[in-house]
Amino acid sequence: MEPDLYAVLGVAPSATAGAITSAFRRRAWELRPDTRVDAVTAARFDEVRTAYETLRDPVRRAVYDRACERSSRHRAPSGAAAASPLSRLRYLFVPGGAAPEPPLRAGPVHWEPGERP
């Protein structure tokens, strides 16, 4: 079962875009992926980042809210696997919209004095 994205960021479902961004920055500072390198912290940071990416985009947020509302009204019988609201977001196509950005990755940098990029 997918976590509640609003709870992951610690905001109410009625939160503004500014409040969501502020909550993401606060949680990112707490988890500090640049200084903490354990698997648990990395997984928690990925969860927070996924929640932020979904809730900052008005279209994806509306799709998520509708899916959560629909799933709360029509609960699947116990033992049945319910479709995750996030599983549908991967295939969301917005005409004229940009493709989602790949995650940022940084590695060691090799620099020789006197070289110019």
Side-chain angles (χ1 to χ4, degrees):
M1 182 167 175
E2 295 291 332
D4 177 21
L5 299 184
Y6 293 104
V8 168
L9 290 178
V11 296
S14 61
T16 63
I20 289 171
T21 300
S22 177
F24 169 72
R25 289 179 179 161
R26 183 176 54 254
R27 295 290 293 153
W29 179 257
E30 292 169 3
L31 297 174
R32 297 289 304 269
D34 57 334
T35 59
R36 297 183 185 184
V37 223
D38 61 277
V40 174
T41 303
R44 287 179 59 206
F45 182 77
D46 284 342
E47 188 176 77
V48 169
R49 187 190 48 164
T50 301
Y52 175 65
E53 288 174 352
T54 301
L55 297 179
R56 76 175 175 171
D57 181 13
V59 175
R60 291 175 69 184
R61 183 177 179 180
V63 169
Y64 174 76
D65 288 343
R66 280 194 304 267
C68 287
E69 180 181 305
R70 197 173 320 124
S71 68
S72 67
R73 280 189 285 154
H74 304 290
R75 291 277 179 199
S78 61
S84 163
L86 290 179
S87 65
R88 288 184 285 276
L89 291 177
R90 288 188 209 124
Y91 305 107
L92 178 67
F93 174 73
V94 179
E101 297 176 9
L104 293 177
R105 304 232 187 258
V109 176
H110 179 74
W111 178 75
E112 293 289 330
E115 284 187 20
R116 301 208 100 202

